[in-house]
Amino acid sequence: MSKVSFHRLVFLLFLSQILIHFGSCLRPRCKENEKKALIKFKENIIDPSNRLSSWIIGGDCCEWSGVICSNKTGHVIKLNLRNSFPSNSALGGAIDFSLLQLKYLTDLDLSMNNFEGTQIPHFFGSFAELRYLNLSGASFSGKIPQNIANLSRLQYLDLGFYEPDSVENDLQWVSGLHSLKYLNLEGVNLYTTSSYWLQTINTLPSLLELHLPQCQLMNLPKSIPFVNFTSLSILDLSNNGFNSTIPKWLFNLTNLKSLDLNSNSLQGELSDMFSELTSLENLDLSSNFEIEGRLPKGLGVLCNLQKLSLDYNRLNGSIAEFVDGLSQCTNPKLETLNLGYNNLDGNLPSSLGLLNSLRYLLLWGNSFTELYLSSNRMGGEIPQSFGQLKSMSVMELRDNSWEGIVTEAHLANLSSLREISIGRFSRNVSLKFDISSDWTPPFVLKYVKIQGCNLGPKFPSFLRNQTDLERIIINFAGISDVIPDWFLEMDLELHELDVAYNQLSGRVPNSLRFKTDSNVDLSSNNFEGPLPLWSSNLTTLYLRDNKFSGPIPKNIGTAMPFMTDMDISRNRLNGTIPFSIGNMAALTTFVVSSNYLNGEIPDFWDSMPMLYIVDMSNNTLSGKIPASIGNLLGLKFLVLSTNNLSGILPPSLRNCTELASLDLGDNKLSGKIPPWIGSKMSSLLILRLRNNSFTGTIPSQICNLSVLHILDVSKNNLSGEIPACVGNLTGFKTEFTSEHTALYQGRLQVVAKGRLLQYDSILYLVNSVDLSRNSFSGAIPAEITTLFRLGTLNLSTNQLTGEIPATIGRFERIETLDLSMNGLSGHIPPSIVSLTFLNHLNLSYNNLSGPIPRGNQFETLNVDPTIYEGNSFLCGFPLPAKCYRPEIAPFPGVDAGESDDDNDELERVWLFISVGMGFFVGFWGFCGSLVIKKRWRDLYFNYVGRLINRIVDCRNCR
Ligand SMILES: *[C@@H]1O[C@H](CO)[C@@H](O)[C@H](O)[C@H]1NC(C)=O
Ligand SMILES: *[C@@H]1O[C@H](CO)[C@@H](O)[C@H](O)[C@H]1NC(C)=O
Ligand SMILES: *[C@@H]1O[C@H](CO)[C@@H](O)[C@H](O)[C@H]1NC(C)=O
Ligand SMILES: *[C@@H]1O[C@H](CO)[C@@H](O)[C@H](O)[C@H]1NC(C)=O
């Protein structure tokens, strides 16, 4: 080795020492062409919050935010521009082609930005080194470029939260991505890939996570020849359209930790083969609605299971085998057991107490009959295993038919319990709480919902010291007590207080405090004293059916301006309706019926444009109907009956074109029936003007009311002829349409929630025309008999003449027919005997003549002679006068019919209507219109949403 070369070597060694020493300082700077490309990229990007402010031409691009260079080569290898900030910092604009200059890019993350529904740029398929591509939530949409398939090194592809779009994508491109470990195509429309999507996925042997939720996949193949992607750990195929059974090949994915098939329409029974999936931690098959049969034993061996969601299916039988199985794991991991809304029954096994990780037990909406085995079956021993569930936080047991007795022993160790629900909204739960008044619970509850169980007669003392309570729902609980002082002393700030349907009495203090948007329901108790006045946070207030007295506080509207629903009906309130109610600008339901309110109705209605139910019936309100009610353009129910209102109908009312029920009966209103009721209010189901002083004729426009089911103008001073166009009232002759069915079901739903038990199906059956006690003259138009669905026709006490239409037999459904006190003549048409539903007939005091027809069950009706009396020339049974032509002898021993109080049935119906007129009627009427009006639908869902939140507690809804 020469000297020179030796020196050279020493120098090189020295140099390399320096390089090693200062290595980090001498990291290669960013490449000029890549920097230029990034600057070009930035120029085309919209960056509202200036997130790319560090990207300046003079700088080293490797230092820029989101840019990561290789330590060795200085090339940009990662671009991370994910928006983890609020939406106003999302990048947008165009993605410039220049980005392709970043030839060594391995990671590209543009997630959570907003590219406003543009396509994924084509050139993304040309990043030859790309391993990680995350475009989730970046508002790309449309066709995914096919050349993504060229990204053969790609391991991670996330297109999740793809903008929903009708553009159908294929999946051929996926088979090019051999290295893929993670694939998320959530929201990408894969409808047309149904026949081959699984085969394509099966070409990806390295796949660990597959997320294809909401991809409109319709076909989950029953079999595939060979499952290649057996490394798969997470499989999410939720929210698709699968309607088959769960295929067997799934059980070959033995590395699965999470299987999510919720919200499909999967069918059939669950297989014992779930036992193969021993790594499973999360299984979600909820909301398939069609999965049936028993919980398989195979599920009970999955000791790693942390979360099992099978709610909203049709599972039945006992859960004992499953729970027994799991309880044998050395360390059962199950935290969430959600079996809500199935048909499960039997007992809860005592082994449940061994699932010591259990935090969420959701068993609502099943048919479990016994919570604690009643003592006679267990020889006096009540299993206290529940008390061992120290981790238990949320226990949803409501909507089951629990029986037996809950003592403090069962709650003794539930120290983590925060939320509990049990019972159902009815009086018929046979579960009794027997908890001594000095027991101190180990839990600190936030939410308690105990319905229909026997908790009384004292106010439940275990709530003492529960100072974290936010929602208290204890109704139908047999409590007859006053609200105890200790409850008030806790000084809770509540979101919900619902103690409806008890016998609570005494005054309700104004000192209760409420959180924003809170609900109070004290209905159907014996509360007395002045109406309470609470904080402005209240949005719903139900105080109906108590003994509150005195005036409505003058400042109620300024005190609680955010009120949306207010029902203070059926109390003893007097005085006037305070003007301040006009401040409740969001009010939708205003029900003050059945009190002693007097004075005039304030003219403040234009400040409450959201109102759709106004019920002030059964008070002593006087004066005119204020014109501003006509500004309630969405009004559905206007019920002002049984007051002392006078004057004419305000012409502005014609703007209320959405009205379904206009009930102004039993007042002192006068003037003519305005024609616009018929021409403008085409949704009217109920028109009730009875017992007023209306004059003039029935305007023919009334015949336009094609969905009318109740027309009652009786007891007025109306005159003229009954218009022949009544035959056009198609509501009385069409079968119930789907719209009506929806209406009916909507009401049933309410009934199911127990809100209005006495309602049952009565309105469904009502089809009634009552024109009685007026001065109508002329003949009964034969057209009226085309209204073949009519249940009640009352034309009595008028001046009608001529003959009863011969076609009267067409009234297939008629139950009540009253033509009494008129001047009708001629024979009773023989077709009357075909009215097989008839049970109240009155033809008395006319000039009818000839024989009384006989036949069918008309005979049974016929035994009461008073229904024919006052017709001098009628003859035959049951009248004493014999006809000339001998009649066949009547059947002996037929009993007299029911009371012939003609109005009886209708009065009863109206009693029901006015009893229920609060928001209940609103409910059913509403559902009917949902089909038609979007605006109403929105309102309705707001309203129902609130109601459901109160009744159902929607925490678990999807
Ligand atoms: C480059 O080197 C730094 C400092 O040693 C290190 O923190 C960083 O992770 C390295 N980056 C890459 C991409 O290897
Ligand atoms: C699955 O794997 C087998 C064996 O490795 C292979 O022969 C077959 O082609 C693969 N199937 C698909 C669809 O890629
Ligand atoms: C599932 O696994 C079994 C046993 O390992 C094997 O015999 C069968 O062929 C596999 N089925 C599929 C569809 O891959
Ligand atoms: C599943 O849906 C398809 C398409 O809607 C239908 O043809 C098929 O009968 C359904 N299968 C079952 C089992 O319901």
Side-chain angles (χ1 to χ4, degrees):
M1 190 181 284
S2 72
K3 239 182 176 180
V4 177
S5 58
F6 176 77
H7 278 121
R8 219 176 248 169
L9 187 62
V10 168
F11 174 73
L12 283 173
L13 277 172
F14 175 72
L15 192 65
S16 69
Q17 279 301 314
I18 289 176
L19 279 176
I20 288 164
H21 200 258
F22 297 99
S24 52
C25 309
L26 296 181
R27 200 185 54 214
R29 286 172 61 90
C30 99
K31 305 285 182 247
E32 205 53 36
N33 66 327
E34 295 187 350
K35 185 186 196 174
K36 271 194 195 139
L38 286 170
I39 289 293
K40 189 91 190 293
F41 168 80
K42 181 189 172 179
E43 278 168 6
N44 288 282
I45 286 289
I46 298 165
D47 180 12
S49 66
N50 218 2
R51 283 171 53 201
L52 305 183
S53 58
S54 61
W55 292 30
I56 42 176
I57 299 173
D60 175 355
C61 73
C62 296
E63 308 278 313
W64 293 354
S65 82
V67 181
I68 294 158
C69 299
S70 160
N71 283 347
K72 277 196 222 122
T73 63
H75 287 294
V76 175
I77 53 171
K78 298 186 183 182
L79 194 53
N80 180 1
L81 298 177
R82 179 184 174 83
N83 171 32
S84 39
F85 307 96
S87 59
N88 61 8
S89 61
L91 302 177
I95 300 175
D96 195 83
F97 185 74
S98 63
L99 219 49
L100 258 196
Q101 292 294 317
L102 311 177
K103 286 203 170 55
Y104 300 91
L105 202 64
T106 62
D107 293 38
L108 178 58
D109 187 346
L110 297 175
S111 57
M112 307 313 285
N113 287 296
N114 184 6
F115 294 100
E116 293 177 2
T118 55
Q119 254 185 305
I120 296 172
H122 227 256
F123 66 84
F124 279 14
S126 307
F127 288 113
E129 297 293 326
L130 211 58
R131 286 174 176 79
Y132 178 102
L133 180 57
N134 189 350
L135 304 178
S136 67
S139 296
F140 287 109
S141 78
K143 204 87 175 162
I144 297 167
Q146 293 291 312
N147 63 350
I148 294 271
N150 300 340
L151 301 175
S152 58
R153 292 167 189 245
L154 203 62
Q155 295 179 2
Y156 185 105
L157 177 60
D158 192 346
L159 304 182
F161 307 108
Y162 206 68
E163 261 320 80
D165 194 335
S166 57
V167 176
E168 286 164 353
N169 268 288
D170 62 38
L171 263 184
Q172 316 293 6
W173 52 274
V174 167
S175 47
L177 309 177
H178 309 296
S179 315
L180 217 52
K181 289 183 178 158
Y182 178 104
L183 178 61
N184 183 354
L185 300 179
E186 173 176 5
V188 176
N189 181 347
L190 299 178
Y191 184 81
T192 52
T193 72
S194 282
S195 63
Y196 69 88
W197 70 270
L198 185 60
Q199 277 160 276
T200 310
I201 297 298
N202 206 20
T203 60
L204 306 174
S206 314
L207 213 53
L208 297 176
E209 284 196 33
L210 177 62
H211 299 265
L212 298 176
Q214 254 181 328
C215 290
Q216 304 185 41
L217 292 167
M218 305 308 281
N219 176 28
L220 187 60
K222 248 196 163 54
S223 61
I224 46 174
F226 190 77
V227 186
N228 279 10
F229 54 106
T230 51
S231 308
L232 202 67
S233 163
I234 294 178
L235 178 58
D236 178 359
L237 297 172
S238 62
N239 286 287
N240 282 294
F242 303 139
N243 66 355
S244 53
T245 54
I246 295 173
K248 286 220 166 60
W249 58 261
L250 269 180
F251 302 109
N252 278 43
L253 300 173
T254 50
N255 289 307
L256 273 187
K257 286 188 170 161
S258 174
L259 175 58
D260 188 351
L261 291 166
N262 91 71
S263 303
N264 282 285
S265 305
L266 293 167
Q267 312 187 341
E269 304 201 355
L270 295 179
S271 158
D272 255 334
M273 287 173 77
F274 274 105
S275 60
E276 312 273 312
L277 304 180
T278 50
S279 305
L280 212 55
E281 292 170 4
N282 172 40
L283 175 60
D284 190 346
L285 299 173
S286 61
S287 297
N288 277 285
F289 296 96
E290 304 278 331
I291 294 177
E292 57 196 7
R294 299 176 166 255
L295 270 188
K297 215 156 79 185
L299 281 178
V301 305
L302 301 179
C303 290
N304 288 310
L305 205 58
Q306 293 171 13
K307 189 170 182 196
L308 179 63
S309 310
L310 299 174
D311 49 313
Y312 293 98
N313 280 298
R314 295 208 306 241
L315 297 167
N316 57 33
S318 157
I319 65 168
E321 211 174 21
F322 162 71
V323 174
D324 285 347
L326 268 195
S327 68
Q328 283 161 29
C329 298
T330 38
N331 181 15
K333 302 243 172 59
L334 198 66
E335 285 184 12
T336 301
L337 180 58
N338 186 353
L339 301 174
Y341 298 97
N342 280 288
N343 304 321
L344 297 163
D345 55 25
N347 306 330
L348 292 194
S350 59
S351 56
L352 197 62
L354 298 172
L355 304 183
N356 49 26
S357 301
L358 208 54
R359 299 180 60 203
Y360 302 93
L361 178 60
L362 312 174
L363 301 179
W364 40 20
N366 277 289
S367 308
F368 292 110
T369 49
E370 290 182 74
L371 178 53
Y372 305 107
L373 302 168
S374 54
S375 46
N376 51 3
R377 283 193 221 175
M378 283 293 287
E381 256 183 291
I382 294 171
Q384 293 175 13
S385 61
F386 248 71
Q388 299 162 27
L389 294 170
K390 284 200 167 123
S391 307
M392 181 71 75
S393 166
V394 175
M395 197 153 74
E396 295 282 8
L397 304 177
R398 69 187 152 81
D399 296 337
N400 284 290
S401 319
W402 305 115
E403 304 173 344
I405 297 175
V406 179
T407 68
E408 57 239 46
H410 302 111
L411 307 169
N413 293 318
L414 298 175
S415 50
S416 306
L417 197 63
R418 302 284 282 152
E419 306 187 9
I420 180 169
S421 78
I422 194 163
R424 69 168 83 233
F425 196 89
S426 87
R427 289 178 203 282
N428 303 321
V429 181
S430 354
L431 190 70
K432 189 171 161 48
F433 280 67
D434 186 9
I435 291 175
S436 84
S437 60
D438 52 10
W439 179 65
T440 311
F443 42 72
V444 183
L445 289 177
K446 204 170 158 181
Y447 162 92
V448 57
K449 183 168 196 161
I450 302 178
Q451 296 178 301
C453 304
N454 192 344
L455 267 180
K458 286 278 176 210
F459 199 85
S461 57
F462 65 89
L463 294 183
R464 195 193 298 244
N465 301 326
Q466 294 292 312
T467 49
D468 267 11
L469 274 169
E470 288 182 4
R471 291 181 189 271
I472 303 173
I473 300 119
I474 297 180
N475 45 42
F476 289 118
I479 302 172
S480 33
D481 197 356
V482 294
I483 296 181
D485 286 343
W486 57 256
F487 183 81
L488 301 173
E489 282 157 16
M490 285 199 291
D491 195 27
L492 300 170
E493 191 180 12
L494 293 171
H495 235 129
E496 178 156 20
L497 177 62
D498 177 353
V499 291
Y501 301 98
N502 285 292
Q503 290 99 49
L504 285 160
S505 57
R507 294 184 170 217
V508 181
N510 280 333
S511 60
L512 293 178
R513 294 188 306 130
F514 295 95
K515 293 182 189 290
T516 314
D517 194 10
S518 52
N519 308 312
V520 170
D521 190 344
L522 308 181
S523 300
S524 298
N525 280 288
N526 296 321
F527 287 119
E528 58 191 25
L531 213 58
L533 197 60
W534 290 307
S535 73
S536 59
N537 289 330
L538 228 55
T539 53
T540 63
L541 179 63
Y542 299 110
L543 301 177
R544 71 186 254 124
D545 202 8
N546 277 288
K547 293 174 179 154
F548 289 111
S549 57
I552 304 174
K554 284 270 165 291
N555 58 338
I556 188 167
T558 42
M560 300 189 270
F562 304 117
M563 191 78 74
T564 61
D565 302 83
M566 172 168 159
D567 184 348
I568 53 174
S569 63
R570 306 183 69 187
N571 280 290
R572 296 168 181 178
L573 302 168
N574 58 24
T576 57
I577 296 175
F579 201 79
S580 75
I581 284 178
N583 282 343
M584 298 179 175
L587 201 62
T588 59
T589 309
F590 180 64
V591 181
V592 297
S593 55
S594 301
N595 280 293
Y596 306 122
L597 300 172
N598 55 34
E600 299 200 359
I601 299 175
D603 198 2
F604 55 21
W605 301 93
D606 28 12
S607 62
M608 295 175 284
M610 308 287 282
L611 271 169
Y612 59 78
I613 299 176
V614 172
D615 183 356
M616 298 187 275
S617 62
N618 211 3
N619 282 291
T620 46
L621 299 168
S622 55
K624 295 183 176 177
I625 298 175
S628 63
I629 283 191
N631 292 332
L632 301 178
L633 300 185
L635 197 63
K636 286 299 264 190
F637 291 86
L638 180 58
V639 185
L640 303 176
S641 54
T642 321
N643 278 294
N644 288 325
L645 299 171
S646 56
I648 62 164
L649 297 191
S652 62
L653 212 54
R654 75 172 77 202
N655 300 329
C656 301
T657 53
E658 305 284 329
L659 271 179
S661 175
L662 179 59
D663 182 0
L664 307 175
D666 301 300
N667 277 292
K668 294 176 178 145
L669 298 166
S670 55
K672 300 201 166 173
I673 296 178
W676 42 256
I677 289 185
S679 51
K680 301 279 186 188
M681 299 181 178
S682 58
S683 306
L684 219 50
L685 292 162
I686 298 176
L687 176 59
R688 188 171 182 266
L689 303 175
R690 67 175 280 134
N691 198 13
N692 278 289
S693 303
F694 288 109
T695 52
T697 58
I698 293 184
S700 61
Q701 286 85 346
I702 294 291
C703 304
N704 297 343
L705 296 174
S706 60
V707 294
L708 202 64
H709 283 273
I710 295 180
L711 172 62
D712 186 352
V713 296
S714 64
K715 285 183 151 180
N716 278 289
N717 301 325
L718 299 168
S719 56
E721 297 197 358
I722 299 173
C725 68
V726 290
N728 297 345
L729 290 167
T730 44
F732 295 106
K733 51 184 178 183
T734 43
E735 288 291 348
F736 279 91
T737 62
S738 59
E739 181 192 327
H740 290 101
T741 313
L743 177 152
Y744 179 51
Q745 284 168 348
R747 195 178 74 257
L748 268 188
Q749 211 182 340
V750 176
V751 172
K753 287 181 179 21
R755 278 283 155 176
L756 194 61
L757 303 165
Q758 72 269 45
Y759 233 81
D760 291 331
S761 55
I762 193 139
L763 275 175
Y764 180 56
L765 302 170
V766 169
N767 269 309
S768 158
V769 171
D770 190 344
L771 310 181
S772 64
R773 301 194 198 205
N774 281 289
S775 303
F776 290 116
S777 56
I780 300 174
E783 289 83 353
I784 206 168
T785 64
T786 64
L787 308 182
F788 64 92
R789 301 246 155 240
L790 213 52
T792 296
L793 178 62
N794 189 349
L795 303 178
S796 80
T797 323
N798 278 292
Q799 290 145 31
L800 298 168
T801 52
E803 299 195 350
I804 298 175
T807 49
I808 192 117
R810 288 197 193 171
F811 282 136
E812 287 172 16
R813 300 291 169 94
I814 204 141
E815 294 176 26
T816 298
L817 178 60
D818 189 347
L819 306 177
S820 64
M821 309 271 211
N822 278 291
L824 299 170
S825 56
H827 288 195
I828 301 175
S831 73
I832 202 167
V833 302
S834 59
L835 302 181
T836 51
F837 284 90
L838 198 60
N839 56 41
H840 288 292
L841 174 68
N842 194 349
L843 302 177
S844 63
Y845 299 100
N846 279 290
N847 298 323
L848 298 167
S849 57
I852 294 170
R854 311 194 60 177
N856 296 344
Q857 56 271 66
F858 198 63
E859 297 292 346
T860 56
L861 192 70
N862 242 353
V863 293
D864 177 7
T866 63
I867 67 176
Y868 299 109
E869 75 185 11
N871 291 283
S872 332
F873 300 105
L874 276 181
C875 64
F877 183 81
L879 294 179
K882 297 255 180 312
C883 299
Y884 294 118
R885 199 152 41 88
E887 294 286 315
I888 305 156
F891 298 112
V894 182
D895 282 342
E898 294 170 46
S899 131
D900 72 337
D901 182 1
D902 312 321
N903 274 329
D904 199 37
E905 186 192 18
L906 202 57
E907 294 291 359
R908 205 172 67 235
V909 169
W910 277 110
L911 177 70
F912 280 118
I913 292 173
S914 44
V915 162
M917 205 32 113
F919 59 87
F920 308 118
V921 172
F923 238 124
W924 65 259
F926 232 178
C927 294
S929 62
L930 296 182
V931 189
I932 328 172
K933 290 278 177 194
K934 184 177 178 304
R935 181 173 135 75
W936 277 108
R937 198 161 57 221
D938 296 345
L939 280 174
Y940 170 78
F941 283 122
N942 277 334
Y943 177 62
V944 173
R946 282 196 304 279
L947 205 73
I948 286 177
N949 275 327
R950 298 178 47 250
I951 298 172
V952 181
D953 180 55
C954 227
R955 227 165 338 130
N956 201 46
C957 297
R958 296 177 171 279

